[in-house]
Amino acid sequence: MKRAVEELAIFGGTPLFDSIKPVGQLAVPPLDAYLERLRPIFHEHRLSGNGPVVAELERRLAEYHGVSHCIAVANACVGLVMVLRQLVGGKRGNAIVPAFSYSGIPHIVQWAGQMPKFCDVERRRHGLDPVAVDRAIDEDTTVILAVANVHGTCEIDALQEIASRRKVPIVFDSVSALGASFGGKMLGSFGRAEVFSLHATKMLNGFEGGYITTNDDALAQVLRDQRNSGVVNARLNEMHAALALLCVDQLDDVIGRNEARYRAYERELASVEGLELLRYVDEAREHYTYQMAFVAVTDRWPLTREDTVKVLRAERAFAMPYYSPALHHSSHCPIGVAVPELPVAEELARLFMYLPGGEHTTIDDVASCGELLRFVHEHGDEIRRRLSENAA
Amino acid sequence: MKRLRLGQHYVPSWNVVEDGVRGIFERAYFANNGPLVQDLDRVAAEATGVPYAVAVTNDMMAMMLAAKSLFRQGGVVIAPPFLSPQLREALVWGGYRVRMLDVDQITRQLDPDTVERSVDGETAGIVAVHVLGNVGNAAELEARAAALNVPLIFDASDAFGAATSGRLAGSFGDASLVSFGEADLLNAGEGACVTTRSLEVSNRVRTLRNFHPGQTFAQMPLRMNGKMAEAPAMLALAAFADVTERIAMNSRRFDTYRRALEAVESLTLLEPVDEQANYQRLVVELAPSVGTASHVARCLDPYGIEARPAVAATDAKLYPVAGAMFERLLELPNGADIRDEDVFEIAGRLKKIAAI
Ligand SMILES: Cc1ncc(COP(=O)(O)O)c(C=O)c1O
């Protein structure tokens, strides 16, 4: 452990961790089980084309989410574009999206022929603010793309009510909320459709991949036809599907380990002044995967968030700012889109950072992070001074 | 009954797969421009004789990103009528309007003169296809497009390994796309790459395929998750390692078809036109008396033989040459699992249908 400020890796000391502690989930099933799954795929030379493994994965996921249809696709971005293109029906207009969100969001809606209309978010779940959405909808609005967040999804009921009252289709990007519930009901069957990812850093590791869930029979049919008949190429291959399928089997264990890490962060950070762990919303009633630990870097903390991230990264704790900057202030905002003031999104985008998580981070690692952060707090003034000297 | 499938369906030996997967698990590196994808970018470039290749999700993604890297926003893209539907849709997703131009009767490729007459202020680019695996007159079209200052992309998916005048498919135009689908010679399950001689174009595609600030090499306003993962990259690398052997197997099978279809006047096996070919597409031209390719495909189906028109459907009234190709050209199974006796079985069924 660090005894003096010069022992911090950023000032030339030995990094706290031997290997990088990432933020992604990176769950893996046993290698032998995976190879066993691959054998028939290679024996039959059937690597893609919506094969039997994809079909099995779709059945399992539909069951898991309690939804009638699951359509596996190449990745979540492709799935979102397919769904959006279908729902806007050839119209060009604006898609309502949250300003505090994933950097791909403004791109995804443009591939669906829409311009993003950035809306502010609410402070609890950090999703689209229903009041702002109601105000933002105009005659050119073609669709609402709501994003469900890891720590609290979003105000699904209120958003669905507005969507149906204003007759605008609503789609949920539920990539971060796989395994979460809203009102006690698992995500997967809200809105016209939901889209999930099978990216390695997410809950179900399928290398890359994604899937669409919906209870809308007609929509499911159209999307499946498009994928199967070659009108689009959005196929998930069997190797990816096989890995994801084995991850479904172990999902509860992974969630258990995530929760243990999260509780460890709770304990560690309780005694760290100035960093506030972001709480999962309404834990008693809802399901969560506890995949991420975010902290708010408050003004009682001695360093800026950016400097804190630098200090942690030097120690190989792969911290990073969360959804920062806000999308309407980022390079992801398309030219020509009006940039409104969205105070909550802007404030949140300055506030949070991710701490290491996922399968490569042990409970001991979390304790080490806690200790490191306490050390940083204790020596905050000196670290700040040295950082500014180094910068100059 | 075993079904005789269309498509190439080559896979590496099981040892290669097992070692490859073991390596991925040991590195715990699954996605996001991993070490195998980086290798693949190098190997794919070398194998097509260009300095740069960028691996992506699949052929549709390759088209989306190649178009965005070269074609002006919102313009018209000229393409042959048989451009495959998912590539056409890729252009639509990119916000382009697609203008089909019929192809030349002899070369079956876009005719440079017709293209020149059709280019106007709205033209954003040209997508040409090395149709049925033939490079053909690509150099001529390339020169014309360059003279007109219109960017040109080739779909080289059927033609990897084909070459004419010492130039390989994948090296023509401003960029090419090579598909690594399971029906293709280079089978990665799913996947593709964009090949190009231009550093600038490669930087744009590399930027376009992700959203990450650390993977930004050019100013690109519109981006996408178009990344290839490590598993397909592993398979694509194995495919490149095996490609000479695969082409040799294709060539032997092609030979068997030649013998099996000899002296049937109403069925003409289409020979490659280039000096070097990959024998990936096995296509028979049907005399009008035999019926259309769709009809013959339906007749073969009950016997467990998959067949289909060799090019995508086109409106024959608007595009007589491409329309005739759709009607007359039949693609037959030519994959890793097709044995000599299967070829004779297919040829036998076909002769019976032709005789009715
Ligand atoms: C909220 C959200 N939506 C969509 C995506 C895109 O998912 P994919 O990588 O499967 O395309 C991500 C990926 O990080 C995400 O976090």
Side-chain angles (χ1 to χ4, degrees), chain B residues 271-292:
Chain B
E271 295 286 341
V273 306
D274 303 326
E275 9 179 283
Q276 196 178 309
N278 66 13
Y279 300 96
Q280 174 178 326
R281 309 286 305 274
L282 196 300
V283 176
V284 170
E285 181 162 12
L286 309 171
S289 62
V290 180
T292 65

Side-chain angles (χ1 to χ4, degrees), chain A residues 74-80 101-105 108 147-149 173-177 195-202 207-211 323 354, chain B residues 32 211 224-227:
Chain A
N75 63 46
C77 286
V78 167
L80 282 163
S101 194
Y102 170 59
S103 55
I105 295 293
I108 290 165
V147 181
N149 294 312
D173 171 343
S174 302
V175 166
S176 302
V195 178
F196 297 87
S197 173
L198 299 172
H199 189 270
T201 53
K202 303 296 190 286
F207 294 90
E208 291 262 3
Y211 59 97
Y323 288 162
Y354 296 84
Chain B
N32 294 4
F211 307 114
M224 184 61 182
N225 178 9
K227 300 188 300 294

Side-chain angles (χ1 to χ4, degrees), chain B residues 108-120:
Chain B
R108 299 194 166 111
Q109 319 248 12
L110 285 175
D111 169 39
D113 293 333
T114 317
V115 169
E116 176 157 3
R117 278 196 301 279
S118 311
V119 166
D120 60 24

